Each structure stands twice: as structure tokens, then as C-alpha cells.
């Protein structure tokens, strides 16, 4: 098994990391982000008509809000759940607009700063720990992760944290490492998985963005690359892949959260992973990418409404996985092709992996469905990871069997 990571540098060097060992480093500090979210609200709306959807798109553009769900204003349509982060200076305008137009809404978070501070206050004191004491039930900053290397064979790729603010993703990657270490000798399924397959684990794909979400902007999504022509920074690392690049569901504007970048694989993070997957694609049988939030298990295609050639095998694996996941805590996940289950998006890693010969490509959208959104409490890390672990085991074990 391999544990993959990257140094926190703008050069985005891709460093292999070995055998699931984590360094004991000084743990990160909590941040209040300079009180930047004081008075901000998170509001949920579901437009009941095309007219309401167009009205919301217009006011969102005008107020420059931060969409949590969906990822782009262009996806706001009739019947679509919209969770929007509204700055304090715009909330009064938006609420007045909603009341005037009689568009129904619900305030999910009344004061986002207080929610962020509450998230921080619930985090236990982080002191230097040994490996055996490493706490997998809290969110960890970049400084908590370590690196080493080892050889490979037929494999499964797992990445987390392609979008910086989705902290439950990296938490799951660490949980997977923990389970592999602790249960190899006692769990027959884990023993079989690790005996027959290697797992390439990238716990934080978007390293610079993830670090920025800890130190400056909790809700930062993109990478942190610079563009000399524009003042806006970063690219959506899940719109930067060479598969229908910058088509539907991606933006060509550098300031947008779904900005596709100046060209495919412009981001060093994406380029490094793409090169690695290209080099090892004969060995890699599955690609698993972990995101949040929506409670979905998605498979190709994302960029078009079409059925993949091995649909029956992939659909069977997804169905069994969400059934296993639900058996743990009763949490329901939807599953299906991403374009139909979520929305159409181009240039993403899952489609790229599938188009480049990896037959089982999945993207998880982990808990929840919007009550906490990106601020999923640490008390929910364990239940989220334990149920997700069972789903991943089901998919992995499926690879070792003949397709029914």
C-alpha cells in the first residue's frame, strides 16, 4: 500500500509516501479567520419555477454570493436545492428580495462566524502525540500529515480534498489508513484487500487550498495558483482535467469557483496526479475520489448524458456499496451517473480516470445534505467514516470478483 502526499510549496512537488505511517508533528491551531464571517448567513432556497430560478441567478450575480450547493450559479434551476452563503452586507438585500418576490427560504446558519468558532471550540486541545495516540476523529491541518514510499502492484487509487473546504474528505483518507493499520490481522476482508491490491492514498489533493482554508478562508474551494492577467486566484481542480475541458458545468472566468483554468492540467496538483495515473493505469483498477456534501455515490459520465459500456458492473457495485453504507447508521445515499444524479460537469477527475482506462471510477459526496454543510461537526467524523469504509470495502471486494 502507498500513502501519497505533497509538500506545501507552490511548486506542488508530488511526493510518494509509504506504508501508511504518519509523522508525529506539532498539530495545527484553531482559527477565527479574523472575524470575516461575522453576520454572514447560509440560506436554503428551492425555486418553484423557472422564473424564480432566473430571479435567483440574477440576484446571486448581483450580490456575489458564495454557493455551497450547487457549485455554480448556472446550475440554479426549478426544483434544485440551493444553499447559499450570503455576506452580512448582502443578507439584508437578499432577504428583502426574497420577501418581496415571495420566494420561500430557510436560514440554515444564522451567523456563520459563530458556527465557525463553535467548530473550533469543539476541537480538542491538539498536543504532540505518538502514532498510537493519533486522533482520527478530529480534522487535521496539513502539518499533521507525513510521507514515505514503497513499491506497487495492481491497485486502487483514493484521493481526498480536491476541494479545499470539504474537510470530511481528508478525514476519511486518514480513517482508511487507520483501519488498514489496525484491522489487517483481524478483519478477513481487509486482509484480502491488502493481500491482493495496493492502495494509493492521497489524503490532501489540493494542499495549498486546504492549508488556506485553515488559515484564511474556511470556505475556499479552489487551488491557490496565480494568474498574471487576473487578480483572482485559483482553479477548480475538479474542472481542470483533459476530458471535455471547460465545457458545460465549468467556467472560463478566473474569479468563479468552477474556473477550469487557462488550459487542461494547468494546475501542478492535477498534472502530477494525471501523470501518475497515466504511468500506472495498467495496474490501477479503481479510482475513488471523496467530496462533500450531498450523500451520493456517483459514477461516469459527468460531462454527458450517456451510459458507460460497463454500466451493469459499475451500477451493481454502487448499489451494493450504498446498501452496505446504509446498514451502519441508516444513512441514505443516492447513487447513479453523475450527470443525472447530480448535474453535468466537464473536466473532472472521475470522468478522466474512466476515459483513461480505469474501469471503476467513483466520486463520493459524503455527509450531510445541508444541515451542517461544509461545517460537519467532528462528532460526525467517526460515523461518517465507519459507514463510508464499509462502502469502500464493498467496491474493493467487487474488484476481486467476476462481474455478475
Amino acid at each position: 500500500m502507498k500513502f501519497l502526499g505533497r509538500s506545501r510549496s507552490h511548486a506542488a512537488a508530488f511526493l510518494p509516501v509509504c506504508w501508511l505511517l504518519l509523522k508525529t508533528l506539532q498539530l495545527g491551531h484553531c482559527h477565527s479567520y479574523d472575524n470575516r464571517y461575522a453576520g454572514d448567513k447560509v440560506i436554503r432556497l428551492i425555486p418553484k419555477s423557472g422564473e424564480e430560478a432566473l430571479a435567483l441567478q440574477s440576484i446571486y450575480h448581483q450580490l456575489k454570493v458564495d454557493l455551497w450547493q450547487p457549485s455554480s450559479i448556472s446550475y440554479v434551476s426549478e426544483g434544485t436545492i440551493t444553499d447559499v452563503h450570503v455576506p452580512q452586507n448582502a443578507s439584508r438585500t437578499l432577504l428583502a428580495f426574497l420577501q418581496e418576490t415571495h420566494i420561500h427560504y430557510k436560514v440554515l446558519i444564522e451567523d456563520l462566524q459563530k458556527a465557525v468558532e463553535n467548530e473550533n471550540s469543539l476541537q480538542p486541545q491538539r498536543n504532540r502525540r505518538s502514532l498510537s495516540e493519533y486522533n482520527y476523529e478530529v480534522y487535521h491541518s496539513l502539518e499533521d500529515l507525513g510521507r514515505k514510499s514503497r513499491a506497487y502492484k495492481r491497485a486502487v487509487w483514493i484521493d481526498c480534498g480536491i476541494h479545499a473546504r470539504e474537510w470530511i474528505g481528508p478525514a476519511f483518507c486518514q480513517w482508511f489508513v487507520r483501519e488498514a493499520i489496525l484491522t489487517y490481522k483481524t478483519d478477513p476482508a481487509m486482509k484480502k484487500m491488502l493481500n491482493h491490491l495496493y492502495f494509493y492514498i492521497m489524503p490532501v489533493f489540493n494542499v495549498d487550498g486546504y492549508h488556506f482554508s485553515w488559515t484564511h478562508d474556511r470556505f475556499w474551494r479552489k487551488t491557490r495558483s496565480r494568474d498574471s492577467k487576473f487578480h483572482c486566484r485559483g482553479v477548480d481542480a475538479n474542472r481542470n482535467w483533459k476530458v471535455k475541458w471547460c465545457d458545460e458545468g465549468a467556467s472560463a472566468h478566473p474569479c468563479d469557483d468552477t474556473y477550469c483554468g487557462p488550459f487542461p492540467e494547468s494546475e501542478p496538483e492535477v498534472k502530477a496526479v494525471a501523470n501518475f495515473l497515466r504511468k500506472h493505469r495498467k495496474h490501477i483498477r479503481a479510482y475513488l475520489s471523496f467530496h462533500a456534501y450531498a450523500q451520493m455515490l456517483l459514477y461516469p459520465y459527468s460531462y454527458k448524458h450517456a451510459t458507460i459500456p460497463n454500466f451493469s458492473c459499475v451500477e451493481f457495485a454502487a448499489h451494493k456499496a450504498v446498501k452496505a453504507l446504509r446498514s451502519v447508521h441508516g444513512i441514505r445515499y443516492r447513487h447513479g451517473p453523475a450527470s443525472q444524479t447530480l448535474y453535468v460537469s466537464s473536466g473532472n477527475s472521475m470522468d478522466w480516470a474512466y476515459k483513461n482506462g480505469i474501469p471503476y471510477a467513483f466520486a463520493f459526496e459524503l455527509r450531510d445534505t445541508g444541515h451542517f454543510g461544509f461545517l460537519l461537526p467532528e462528532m460526525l467524523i467517526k460515523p461518517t467514516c465507519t459507514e463510508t469504509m464499509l462502502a469502500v470495502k464493498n467496491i474493493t471486494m467487487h474488484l476481486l470478483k467476476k462481474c455478475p
Side-chain angles (χ1 to χ4, degrees):
M1 185 177 297
K2 281 195 174 186
F3 186 44
L4 300 177
R6 189 174 70 83
S7 65
R8 200 183 77 223
S9 68
H10 297 291
F14 188 62
L15 301 177
V17 201
C18 95
W19 195 234
L20 306 176
L21 293 179
L22 297 174
K23 249 183 189 179
T24 24
L25 299 176
Q26 183 64 40
L27 298 170
H29 301 287
C30 298
H31 296 275
S32 62
Y33 303 96
D34 298 322
N35 211 40
R36 66 180 296 163
Y37 307 115
D40 291 10
K41 300 182 186 301
V42 177
I43 299 174
R44 170 164 290 183
L45 307 101
I46 306 178
K48 295 180 179 178
S49 66
E51 290 77 13
E52 286 191 359
L54 288 174
L56 288 176
Q57 287 183 1
S58 177
I59 195 71
Y60 289 170
H61 275 296
Q62 178 186 330
L63 298 179
K64 301 186 184 303
V65 300
D66 172 25
L67 274 178
W68 284 19
Q69 289 286 359
S71 59
S72 171
I73 291 175
S74 62
Y75 292 134
V76 176
S77 59
E78 180 181 352
T80 300
I81 292 176
T82 302
D83 294 346
V84 57
H85 165 200
V86 189
Q88 181 184 28
N89 60 5
S91 60
R92 183 174 297 179
T93 302
L94 178 60
L95 291 174
F97 170 81
L98 296 175
Q99 291 163 6
E100 180 182 340
T101 55
H102 303 290
I103 296 177
H104 180 71
Y105 67 92
K106 176 183 179 181
V107 178
L108 297 180
I109 300 176
E110 186 68 41
D111 188 320
L112 195 54
Q113 182 65 35
K114 291 180 179 178
V116 170
E117 290 173 357
N118 184 56
E119 176 189 45
N120 286 338
S121 69
L122 292 175
Q123 295 174 3
Q125 182 66 34
R126 288 163 157 80
N127 297 316
R128 187 179 296 271
R129 298 183 180 95
S130 68
L131 178 61
S132 63
E133 296 171 325
Y134 190 85
N135 193 341
Y136 294 86
E137 295 182 38
V138 301
Y139 295 118
H140 289 282
S141 65
L142 189 64
E143 286 79 5
D144 296 354
L145 305 177
R147 49 192 167 90
K148 293 199 178 190
S149 63
R150 200 186 174 206
Y152 64 87
K153 58 182 178 184
R154 197 166 60 124
V156 173
W157 170 276
I158 295 176
D159 65 51
C160 300
I162 199 168
H163 291 140
R165 61 191 178 185
E166 300 168 7
W167 286 9
I168 188 61
F172 173 73
C173 268
Q174 294 170 73
W175 191 272
F176 185 94
V177 170
R178 170 188 181 274
E179 287 295 294
I181 292 171
L182 297 181
T183 69
Y184 174 77
K185 292 183 179 180
T186 58
D187 181 354
M190 182 63 76
K191 191 179 188 74
K192 186 174 182 179
M193 285 163 51
L194 297 183
N195 283 349
H196 289 83
L197 297 163
Y198 276 112
F199 289 80
Y200 295 105
I201 314 293
M202 174 160 271
V204 185
F205 186 111
N206 178 7
V207 172
D208 294 331
Y210 183 67
H211 181 67
F212 192 75
S213 77
W214 274 80
T215 58
H216 292 83
D217 183 349
R218 174 64 181 83
F219 306 107
W220 185 259
R221 170 183 169 94
K222 300 188 287 182
T223 64
R224 293 293 299 162
S225 57
R226 293 180 181 272
D227 188 317
S228 59
K229 297 180 180 179
F230 298 92
H231 70 277
C232 297
R233 293 187 64 168
V235 167
D236 185 339
N238 207 33
R239 300 291 187 276
N240 191 232
W241 300 73
K242 196 173 183 179
V243 53
K244 281 290 180 179
W245 174 78
C246 219
D247 208 313
E248 185 175 354
S251 172
H253 196 291
C255 294
D256 288 347
D257 268 349
T258 54
Y259 175 44
C260 60
F263 54 86
E265 298 181 17
S266 64
E267 302 310 282
E269 299 90 343
V270 174
K271 184 69 172 178
V273 174
N275 284 340
F276 183 89
L277 294 175
R278 276 190 287 261
K279 180 179 179 181
H280 298 281
R281 62 185 170 187
K282 291 183 180 179
H283 306 280
I284 296 174
R285 299 292 297 161
Y287 173 91
L288 308 179
S289 188
F290 291 86
H291 301 255
Y293 56 96
Q295 292 177 193
M296 294 178 180
L297 177 54
L298 309 171
Y299 52 81
Y301 295 107
S302 248
Y303 72 89
K304 64 179 179 179
H305 293 286
T307 302
I308 56 177
N310 62 336
F311 169 80
S312 60
C313 294
V314 172
E315 164 62 23
F316 180 77
H319 172 75
K320 296 285 285 184
V322 298
K323 184 178 179 181
L325 186 152
R326 184 182 171 191
S327 71
V328 182
H329 298 293
I331 298 298
R332 295 176 180 270
Y333 270 53
R334 295 170 58 197
H335 72 282
S339 59
Q340 301 172 33
T341 311
L342 188 57
Y343 45 64
V344 174
S345 66
S346 59
N348 68 59
S349 65
M350 178 184 69
D351 280 350
W352 184 93
Y354 186 78
K355 295 285 283 185
N356 278 268
I358 299 176
Y360 291 90
F362 293 98
F364 281 80
E365 293 283 351
L366 300 177
R367 293 199 199 186
D368 59 4
T369 57
H371 181 74
F372 294 110
F374 300 119
L375 296 176
L376 191 73
E378 290 185 328
M379 66 181 179
L380 294 180
I381 291 178
K382 182 176 181 179
T384 301
C385 291
T386 52
E387 67 194 11
T388 306
M389 192 73 194
L390 197 54
V392 171
K393 281 185 180 180
N394 264 263
I395 292 173
T396 304
M397 294 301 286
H398 183 79
L399 304 181
L400 302 177
K401 304 173 183 176
K402 289 186 177 180
C403 182

